[in-house]
């Protein structure tokens, strides 16, 4: 089983994927040149799964992933991974701080480690690369002396860690998703799941309000809402919504069926276990709302049983 | 099969019941002394059905009926009847207008025919009776000369019609219901039905709003809302709601199940065909809202089929 | 200043009025023959105020009062009174329990003291009168031996109390209102007020929901909702709403202005201090919701100041 | 008066700014190196206005602009511009199609003209540049033969138009905004305005629903909703909302005051005339909802007058 990930080797995406790869027995990670390429490989059959970044607590949504999720044929998220952002400075073996005259990184990496760099490498020239992994490759090639990148890049490029944890703020987190072709078996409910959808509505006042109400009235906590242009016209959008719960559960299922009736287009993008930030990180996990009284699965089952009894009343010869 | 109705013979309630009695083969109407007595007879087994007034376009809800519907054991409405209010002046055979010195009626009857009385019987003394049927009985007994009452009273008391249609406004309507013990077969859906419930909620802001939202979000038009004291405490209520639709239909069923989860007490009071005002009356029937796009039964079925397909996806070996 | 009340002398309504009459200096209570007569006297100028029952925790809304409040010219409630229902048995001076062969009361009085009567006067014949005060009058006239009525009737009819507190359940409460002609000075806000309105809406789905939302979104707790037929057509209603707060306060004022825009007819029926059940009664006062964070008067003032600053920005020569 | 725009010369941003620059008398456009630099110049006093892209119908929101708008000190939008995306192929004077061996553009430009390029310049090598204007500069420098860029770049770089309107789809539109420091005079209401805000809320279920309800209940049509990470924690967001109307109008003003009470942070980002797509373009303007009955300014004024009369009732000596 091949898993395409946003490459090249040494990216945070690879690091995220490696943290869960044991749960996909027989999986072989393969770098793709872009998020779009990873999803295309999945759709085209060149990969069985794709692992791509979807959201960063600092940079926000990843547009290419959002847009890619609603293309055809349909795909679904089967896993999410929260990766605290942790930058390291990698060098060729034997290089010391005093040896570093040039340092490379992706602009995001440079931006998040600026304070460390100005303190510890005040005189080094900073060069930009298309990805943090490309910075590591440039060190391996001897083009620069140091790279600010994911620690995982060290092993791929034969580098060693000059300094670790060099990011200025410790609480940034990136969220990655593992995506499969629709029609696969969905992850079983765990009791702490998340469901993702994308929806378009008629362009009339209150349409989004009605969608949010369909979730709220059933006690489903929405954990994320994003809009992306529908490309048809300025002012028309895809709404991407994440909610707490699993499609196999009554409240979420009923809410999704309600949206199916209400939306002009509705894409089910998966139900999967909610990830938490790994132990050892100070970054906070996304907030989770408490269950709403009367809206839990047992309440739904009890209500359905009551309704079934009403409907199936025997015939006493009247009415 | 015995049908208890609000007696005595000659009431508007009897007139309403007679208009539908052919739909209950073998039914024998039996007068009860009060609405409460009629419902008690039903609950106690002394009657198989009860016919009682529930609402008047002039007087409003009938409290004894509302309160009686939520007592135990449970009962359900299986039929509603809309009776345009039509008063007649009944006299002993041979009596002329010039002979009438005294006229009797229930205060409601007197109130709704005051203009006719002051024009045609300006000198007659008006006497009050406990019911309009009692006024007819008083004429038969010779205690008064004329009664303002339901035309149906003529045949019971051997009277004749001195004048018909003597009510001042032609558009008053009374709504009656035929009630059965819960557990009976419900009337089959007709596509134009009404469902009645009574509910109590926790006493917190927005509780009623949430109940109304459960109906609105599913496109169910509420045709009536009444509150009655719960008797536990001033400021706590039973809410009586009528909505368009049948419990066997998806939208209404889902709304009722939602209320079952949300309410502290919920009573299903029946699903039955919506009545219209009989042809020949100028009184308007209650308004009916148009169905809401996307909330009809076919939309529910389609959404459920979509949901079922999502949940039952086969296992491709991932996730 | 004349205050018409629901008479005759000795009614619970008179008892309620007397409990607050000192707050209306120079007021002279005058009995009216009915609720309608009391309100007619007020409207016609024959009285300056009217005191009438509006709601009972046992019997529910008083239809004649509700209907009377929305007639023309407009009137407003300036005071509410909560009177725990307390029945006494009154007799002519010197009468003992053993002397009582007949006892009179209004049906409501009889219903609420049935257990006491069957225990203490098992052999007395019970007779019905049009009001509990009429029962006291009948005792004074020597027609019956005892009356079950309001304790206040004793002084009017020269009777003495044979037994007090004879009601079977101790928690029944009746709510009375003192009504003035619209245009009077409204009672000043106390911080614990109630505002009453009546509204009609277009007959379309969601109209009542929108009205409730106008209150909820502004944190106004609705303490009561009643519907009364509009008399135009079955299925069309006046909605009577009571909410916590005073028209002079920002949240309530804004909500009322919103209803003015939304309703086909809107009647302001007064802002007045919320009454509580008098000390010494075990009956619970109506529930009161806690204020909603962010919706108190200070929050409104702060928001308005912020908005005013936005709108009044000086001109720097751009835009 | 200096207006910083997203440079260098020849960008679509400059082209957008030039289309409205006559409305800012004495304005001198000055290129900035980035959106952030343009807003920094405005905040620092190096510019009096800034013109930056905020949204594209193809690419979606411009994150740097969104994030920049909520920084301190506050700024407000005073103008919006809708620019249909129109690409031209620019060359050095005298160059013919047959001469073109290399063509440069920004990846967005290349993506939106791919079909034209494969048809008309199938053999040309395509090179990427950091902006479309940089592609034009590369042509002027002789590094490449042709640039796919905004037509406005021709005059800055002394190039001529080899082909115009070469974009594959004709309906893409980019929205730009002219931004001023908060405290400036706001553009006067025109009757067809847009208001922009950004808000954060407590992280609890229904918080966004409540915000949307504050607009909907007052008939304000929301034309756009975007979320951006708050940077504090994954799952916490700034919501950017655009609504039809002007802060000086009653409905919008009341809605904003309501949000001020409800939100943990609220930024007013301006009220300004709604732009339309210029005549001659086939691209659709963003949709506009019809005004909601009962929620127009005259309705607000009437409601406020009614409320003021209620509150100011004279004192008749009661209450």
């Amino acid at each position: 089983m091949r898993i395409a990930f946003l490459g090249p080797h040494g990216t945070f995406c690879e690091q995220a994927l490696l943290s869960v790869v044991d749960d996909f027995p027989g999986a072989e990670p393969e770098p793709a040149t872009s998020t779009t390429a990873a999803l295309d490989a999945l759709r085209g059959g060149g990969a069985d799964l794709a692992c791509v970044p979807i959201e960063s607590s600092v940079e926000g949504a990843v547009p290419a992933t959002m847009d890619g999720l609603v293309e055809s044929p349909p795909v679904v998220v089967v896993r999410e991974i929260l990766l605290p952002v942790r930058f390291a400075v990698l060098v060729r073996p034997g290089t010391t701080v005093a040896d570093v005259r040039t340092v490379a990184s992706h602009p995001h990496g440079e931006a998040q480690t600026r304070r460390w760099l100005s303190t510890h490498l005040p005189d080094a020239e900073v060069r930009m690369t298309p990805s943090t992994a490309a910075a590591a490759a440039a060190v391996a090639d001897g083009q620069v002396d140091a790279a600010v990148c994911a620690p995982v890049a060290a092993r791929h490029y034969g580098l060693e860690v000059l300094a670790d944890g060099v990011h200025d703020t410790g609480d940034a987190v990136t969220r990655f998703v593992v995506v499969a072709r629709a029609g696969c078996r969905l992850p079983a409910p765990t009791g702490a799941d998340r469901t993702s959808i994308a929806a378009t509505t008629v362009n009339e006042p209150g349409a989004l309000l009605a969608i949010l109400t369909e979730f709220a009235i059933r006690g489903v906590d929405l954990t994320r809402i994003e809009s992306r242009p529908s490309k048809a016209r300025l002012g028309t959008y895809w709404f991407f919504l994440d909610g707490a719960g699993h499609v196999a559960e009554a409240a979420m299922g009923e809410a999704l069926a309600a949206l199916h009736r209400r939306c002009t287009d509705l894409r089910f993008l998966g139900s999967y276990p909610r990830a938490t930030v790994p132990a050892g990180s100070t970054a906070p996990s996304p907030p989770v709302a408490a269950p709403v009284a009367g809206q839990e699965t047992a309440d739904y089952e009890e209500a359905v049983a009551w309704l079934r009894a009403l409907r199936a009343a025997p015939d006493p010869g009247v009415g």
Side-chain angles (χ1 to χ4, degrees), chain A residues 80-111:
Chain A
E80 72 172 3
I81 307 150
L82 298 181
L83 186 72
V85 174
R86 176 176 146 226
F87 284 101
V89 179
L90 303 188
V91 292
R92 288 179 299 277
T95 304
T96 66
V97 168
D99 299 330
V100 177
R101 306 234 179 283
T102 51
V103 59
S105 191
H106 180 269
H108 288 175
E110 189 272 341

mmCIF file of all heavy atoms in Angstrom, chain A residues 80-111:
data_model
loop_
_atom_site.group_PDB
_atom_site.id
_atom_site.type_symbol
_atom_site.label_atom_id
_atom_site.label_comp_id
_atom_site.label_asym_id
_atom_site.label_seq_id
_atom_site.Cartn_x
_atom_site.Cartn_y
_atom_site.Cartn_z
ATOM 1 N N GLU A 80 -6.514 12.003 11.238
ATOM 2 C CA GLU A 80 -5.898 13.317 11.362
ATOM 3 C C GLU A 80 -4.714 13.215 12.310
ATOM 4 O O GLU A 80 -4.669 12.340 13.180
ATOM 5 C CB GLU A 80 -6.885 14.393 11.824
ATOM 6 C CG GLU A 80 -7.297 14.305 13.268
ATOM 7 C CD GLU A 80 -8.133 15.502 13.746
ATOM 8 O OE1 GLU A 80 -8.461 16.393 12.947
ATOM 9 O OE2 GLU A 80 -8.459 15.535 14.943
ATOM 10 N N ILE A 81 -3.743 14.103 12.104
ATOM 11 C CA ILE A 81 -2.527 14.105 12.917
ATOM 12 C C ILE A 81 -2.242 15.549 13.315
ATOM 13 O O ILE A 81 -2.276 16.433 12.464
ATOM 14 C CB ILE A 81 -1.315 13.576 12.098
ATOM 15 C CG1 ILE A 81 -1.636 12.221 11.471
ATOM 16 C CG2 ILE A 81 -0.054 13.519 12.971
ATOM 17 C CD1 ILE A 81 -0.880 11.982 10.156
ATOM 18 N N LEU A 82 -2.008 15.782 14.580
ATOM 19 C CA LEU A 82 -1.622 17.121 15.035
ATOM 20 C C LEU A 82 -0.133 17.097 15.332
ATOM 21 O O LEU A 82 0.319 16.334 16.190
ATOM 22 C CB LEU A 82 -2.407 17.506 16.292
ATOM 23 C CG LEU A 82 -3.921 17.598 16.118
ATOM 24 C CD1 LEU A 82 -4.572 18.017 17.443
ATOM 25 C CD2 LEU A 82 -4.288 18.588 15.019
ATOM 26 N N LEU A 83 0.605 17.910 14.637
ATOM 27 C CA LEU A 83 2.057 17.923 14.804
ATOM 28 C C LEU A 83 2.493 19.277 15.355
ATOM 29 O O LEU A 83 2.375 20.299 14.673
ATOM 30 C CB LEU A 83 2.736 17.685 13.448
ATOM 31 C CG LEU A 83 4.254 17.528 13.521
ATOM 32 C CD1 LEU A 83 4.616 16.188 14.157
ATOM 33 C CD2 LEU A 83 4.874 17.643 12.129
ATOM 34 N N PRO A 84 2.979 19.298 16.603
ATOM 35 C CA PRO A 84 3.521 20.561 17.115
ATOM 36 C C PRO A 84 4.687 20.966 16.214
ATOM 37 O O PRO A 84 5.488 20.112 15.803
ATOM 38 C CB PRO A 84 4.004 20.197 18.516
ATOM 39 C CG PRO A 84 3.282 18.942 18.869
ATOM 40 C CD PRO A 84 3.069 18.217 17.568
ATOM 41 N N VAL A 85 4.757 22.233 15.883
ATOM 42 C CA VAL A 85 5.818 22.684 14.997
ATOM 43 C C VAL A 85 7.106 22.805 15.811
ATOM 44 O O VAL A 85 7.161 23.530 16.807
ATOM 45 C CB VAL A 85 5.453 24.034 14.356
ATOM 46 C CG1 VAL A 85 6.625 24.563 13.544
ATOM 47 C CG2 VAL A 85 4.215 23.864 13.464
ATOM 48 N N ARG A 86 8.116 22.023 15.390
ATOM 49 C CA ARG A 86 9.386 22.015 16.126
ATOM 50 C C ARG A 86 10.499 22.091 15.100
ATOM 51 O O ARG A 86 10.671 21.183 14.294
ATOM 52 C CB ARG A 86 9.465 20.721 16.936
ATOM 53 C CG ARG A 86 10.771 20.538 17.673
ATOM 54 C CD ARG A 86 10.734 19.270 18.531
ATOM 55 N NE ARG A 86 12.046 18.644 18.577
ATOM 56 C CZ ARG A 86 12.266 17.350 18.403
ATOM 57 N NH1 ARG A 86 11.262 16.512 18.193
ATOM 58 N NH2 ARG A 86 13.504 16.879 18.443
ATOM 59 N N PHE A 87 11.192 23.226 15.121
ATOM 60 C CA PHE A 87 12.272 23.416 14.158
ATOM 61 C C PHE A 87 13.618 23.048 14.787
ATOM 62 O O PHE A 87 13.858 23.312 15.968
ATOM 63 C CB PHE A 87 12.333 24.875 13.699
ATOM 64 C CG PHE A 87 11.250 25.235 12.717
ATOM 65 C CD1 PHE A 87 10.119 25.925 13.139
ATOM 66 C CD2 PHE A 87 11.367 24.883 11.380
ATOM 67 C CE1 PHE A 87 9.124 26.257 12.233
ATOM 68 C CE2 PHE A 87 10.368 25.224 10.471
ATOM 69 C CZ PHE A 87 9.239 25.910 10.898
ATOM 70 N N ALA A 88 14.456 22.465 13.931
ATOM 71 C CA ALA A 88 15.838 22.191 14.337
ATOM 72 C C ALA A 88 16.779 22.896 13.356
ATOM 73 O O ALA A 88 16.381 23.229 12.236
ATOM 74 C CB ALA A 88 16.109 20.696 14.322
ATOM 75 N N VAL A 89 17.999 23.122 13.789
ATOM 76 C CA VAL A 89 19.034 23.609 12.873
ATOM 77 C C VAL A 89 19.924 22.409 12.543
ATOM 78 O O VAL A 89 20.519 21.804 13.444
ATOM 79 C CB VAL A 89 19.862 24.741 13.510
ATOM 80 C CG1 VAL A 89 20.947 25.199 12.518
ATOM 81 C CG2 VAL A 89 18.951 25.907 13.882
ATOM 82 N N LEU A 90 19.950 22.052 11.251
ATOM 83 C CA LEU A 90 20.722 20.875 10.818
ATOM 84 C C LEU A 90 21.980 21.322 10.059
ATOM 85 O O LEU A 90 21.944 22.278 9.284
ATOM 86 C CB LEU A 90 19.872 19.983 9.906
ATOM 87 C CG LEU A 90 18.548 19.481 10.492
ATOM 88 C CD1 LEU A 90 17.921 18.448 9.554
ATOM 89 C CD2 LEU A 90 18.749 18.888 11.893
ATOM 90 N N VAL A 91 23.031 20.565 10.300
ATOM 91 C CA VAL A 91 24.311 20.880 9.635
ATOM 92 C C VAL A 91 24.977 19.576 9.182
ATOM 93 O O VAL A 91 24.585 18.485 9.612
ATOM 94 C CB VAL A 91 25.264 21.625 10.602
ATOM 95 C CG1 VAL A 91 24.724 23.021 10.908
ATOM 96 C CG2 VAL A 91 25.463 20.823 11.891
ATOM 97 N N ARG A 92 25.970 19.722 8.352
ATOM 98 C CA ARG A 92 26.769 18.547 8.005
ATOM 99 C C ARG A 92 27.539 18.125 9.256
ATOM 100 O O ARG A 92 27.954 18.974 10.067
ATOM 101 C CB ARG A 92 27.738 18.885 6.884
ATOM 102 C CG ARG A 92 27.056 19.062 5.514
ATOM 103 C CD ARG A 92 28.070 19.427 4.431
ATOM 104 N NE ARG A 92 28.747 20.672 4.709
ATOM 105 C CZ ARG A 92 28.263 21.877 4.419
ATOM 106 N NH1 ARG A 92 27.067 21.999 3.852
ATOM 107 N NH2 ARG A 92 28.946 22.965 4.718
ATOM 108 N N PRO A 93 27.750 16.817 9.425
ATOM 109 C CA PRO A 93 28.428 16.345 10.632
ATOM 110 C C PRO A 93 29.737 17.097 10.844
ATOM 111 O O PRO A 93 30.517 17.298 9.911
ATOM 112 C CB PRO A 93 28.671 14.863 10.329
ATOM 113 C CG PRO A 93 27.558 14.495 9.405
ATOM 114 C CD PRO A 93 27.320 15.709 8.570
ATOM 115 N N GLY A 94 29.922 17.533 12.083
ATOM 116 C CA GLY A 94 31.160 18.209 12.421
ATOM 117 C C GLY A 94 31.096 19.725 12.382
ATOM 118 O O GLY A 94 31.968 20.400 12.912
ATOM 119 N N THR A 95 30.052 20.251 11.741
ATOM 120 C CA THR A 95 29.923 21.707 11.670
ATOM 121 C C THR A 95 29.584 22.274 13.044
ATOM 122 O O THR A 95 28.748 21.720 13.761
ATOM 123 C CB THR A 95 28.813 22.090 10.685
ATOM 124 O OG1 THR A 95 29.103 21.505 9.421
ATOM 125 C CG2 THR A 95 28.717 23.615 10.532
ATOM 126 N N THR A 96 30.213 23.378 13.446
ATOM 127 C CA THR A 96 29.899 24.023 14.723
ATOM 128 C C THR A 96 29.217 25.368 14.447
ATOM 129 O O THR A 96 29.174 25.833 13.307
ATOM 130 C CB THR A 96 31.168 24.309 15.532
ATOM 131 O OG1 THR A 96 31.941 25.284 14.820
ATOM 132 C CG2 THR A 96 31.989 23.031 15.737
ATOM 133 N N VAL A 97 28.680 25.942 15.508
ATOM 134 C CA VAL A 97 28.016 27.241 15.362
ATOM 135 C C VAL A 97 28.957 28.251 14.712
ATOM 136 O O VAL A 97 28.569 29.038 13.841
ATOM 137 C CB VAL A 97 27.535 27.760 16.736
ATOM 138 C CG1 VAL A 97 27.119 29.224 16.652
ATOM 139 C CG2 VAL A 97 26.365 26.910 17.238
ATOM 140 N N ALA A 98 30.171 28.217 15.120
ATOM 141 C CA ALA A 98 31.133 29.189 14.589
ATOM 142 C C ALA A 98 31.370 29.012 13.089
ATOM 143 O O ALA A 98 31.766 29.951 12.382
ATOM 144 C CB ALA A 98 32.453 29.069 15.337
ATOM 145 N N ASP A 99 31.073 27.782 12.583
ATOM 146 C CA ASP A 99 31.300 27.526 11.153
ATOM 147 C C ASP A 99 30.184 28.054 10.252
ATOM 148 O O ASP A 99 30.335 28.097 9.028
ATOM 149 C CB ASP A 99 31.402 26.009 10.890
ATOM 150 C CG ASP A 99 32.562 25.366 11.650
ATOM 151 O OD1 ASP A 99 33.566 26.068 11.880
ATOM 152 O OD2 ASP A 99 32.437 24.166 11.980
ATOM 153 N N VAL A 100 29.041 28.374 10.850
ATOM 154 C CA VAL A 100 27.858 28.673 10.034
ATOM 155 C C VAL A 100 27.871 30.109 9.502
ATOM 156 O O VAL A 100 27.745 31.056 10.262
ATOM 157 C CB VAL A 100 26.558 28.421 10.837
ATOM 158 C CG1 VAL A 100 25.335 28.819 10.003
ATOM 159 C CG2 VAL A 100 26.464 26.958 11.257
ATOM 160 N N ARG A 101 28.033 30.229 8.189
ATOM 161 C CA ARG A 101 28.021 31.561 7.574
ATOM 162 C C ARG A 101 26.723 31.791 6.785
ATOM 163 O O ARG A 101 26.315 32.917 6.558
ATOM 164 C CB ARG A 101 29.198 31.717 6.598
ATOM 165 C CG ARG A 101 30.556 31.411 7.199
ATOM 166 C CD ARG A 101 31.565 32.542 7.012
ATOM 167 N NE ARG A 101 32.852 32.196 7.640
ATOM 168 C CZ ARG A 101 33.058 32.262 8.968
ATOM 169 N NH1 ARG A 101 32.093 32.676 9.772
ATOM 170 N NH2 ARG A 101 34.216 31.910 9.471
ATOM 171 N N THR A 102 26.092 30.688 6.361
ATOM 172 C CA THR A 102 24.823 30.796 5.616
ATOM 173 C C THR A 102 23.831 29.792 6.196
ATOM 174 O O THR A 102 24.194 28.677 6.560
ATOM 175 C CB THR A 102 25.022 30.461 4.116
ATOM 176 O OG1 THR A 102 25.712 29.206 4.018
ATOM 177 C CG2 THR A 102 25.847 31.535 3.413
ATOM 178 N N VAL A 103 22.563 30.223 6.265
ATOM 179 C CA VAL A 103 21.510 29.347 6.784
ATOM 180 C C VAL A 103 20.298 29.458 5.851
ATOM 181 O O VAL A 103 19.953 30.559 5.400
ATOM 182 C CB VAL A 103 21.151 29.699 8.248
ATOM 183 C CG1 VAL A 103 20.685 31.134 8.393
ATOM 184 C CG2 VAL A 103 20.095 28.755 8.797
ATOM 185 N N ALA A 104 19.678 28.328 5.531
ATOM 186 C CA ALA A 104 18.559 28.333 4.579
ATOM 187 C C ALA A 104 17.287 27.814 5.244
ATOM 188 O O ALA A 104 17.336 26.996 6.172
ATOM 189 C CB ALA A 104 18.902 27.456 3.373
ATOM 190 N N SER A 105 16.163 28.293 4.748
ATOM 191 C CA SER A 105 14.870 27.756 5.205
ATOM 192 C C SER A 105 13.766 28.248 4.269
ATOM 193 O O SER A 105 13.971 29.131 3.434
ATOM 194 C CB SER A 105 14.555 28.199 6.643
ATOM 195 O OG SER A 105 13.443 27.469 7.131
ATOM 196 N N HIS A 106 12.619 27.652 4.422
ATOM 197 C CA HIS A 106 11.411 28.160 3.782
ATOM 198 C C HIS A 106 11.004 29.438 4.539
ATOM 199 O O HIS A 106 11.278 29.553 5.728
ATOM 200 C CB HIS A 106 10.309 27.087 3.912
ATOM 201 C CG HIS A 106 9.000 27.486 3.292
ATOM 202 N ND1 HIS A 106 8.015 28.130 3.993
ATOM 203 C CD2 HIS A 106 8.527 27.332 2.031
ATOM 204 C CE1 HIS A 106 6.979 28.348 3.206
ATOM 205 N NE2 HIS A 106 7.270 27.880 1.996
ATOM 206 N N PRO A 107 10.351 30.379 3.878
ATOM 207 C CA PRO A 107 9.979 31.620 4.581
ATOM 208 C C PRO A 107 9.216 31.376 5.884
ATOM 209 O O PRO A 107 9.419 32.068 6.876
ATOM 210 C CB PRO A 107 9.115 32.350 3.549
ATOM 211 C CG PRO A 107 9.646 31.883 2.233
ATOM 212 C CD PRO A 107 10.051 30.441 2.446
ATOM 213 N N HIS A 108 8.317 30.373 5.925
ATOM 214 C CA HIS A 108 7.598 30.088 7.176
ATOM 215 C C HIS A 108 8.580 29.688 8.276
ATOM 216 O O HIS A 108 8.422 30.074 9.437
ATOM 217 C CB HIS A 108 6.594 28.951 6.986
ATOM 218 C CG HIS A 108 5.397 29.345 6.181
ATOM 219 N ND1 HIS A 108 4.429 28.462 5.800
ATOM 220 C CD2 HIS A 108 5.016 30.545 5.682
ATOM 221 C CE1 HIS A 108 3.511 29.084 5.093
ATOM 222 N NE2 HIS A 108 3.844 30.353 5.003
ATOM 223 N N GLY A 109 9.565 28.899 7.925
ATOM 224 C CA GLY A 109 10.551 28.459 8.908
ATOM 225 C C GLY A 109 11.369 29.641 9.411
ATOM 226 O O GLY A 109 11.627 29.776 10.616
ATOM 227 N N GLU A 110 11.775 30.486 8.487
ATOM 228 C CA GLU A 110 12.554 31.664 8.878
ATOM 229 C C GLU A 110 11.718 32.541 9.800
ATOM 230 O O GLU A 110 12.195 33.035 10.827
ATOM 231 C CB GLU A 110 12.976 32.431 7.618
ATOM 232 C CG GLU A 110 13.965 33.557 7.855
ATOM 233 C CD GLU A 110 13.287 34.881 8.185
ATOM 234 O OE1 GLU A 110 12.074 35.029 7.892
ATOM 235 O OE2 GLU A 110 13.962 35.758 8.745
ATOM 236 N N ALA A 111 10.445 32.722 9.446
ATOM 237 C CA ALA A 111 9.594 33.618 10.229
ATOM 238 C C ALA A 111 9.402 33.109 11.659
ATOM 239 O O ALA A 111 9.332 33.896 12.602
ATOM 240 C CB ALA A 111 8.231 33.760 9.541
#
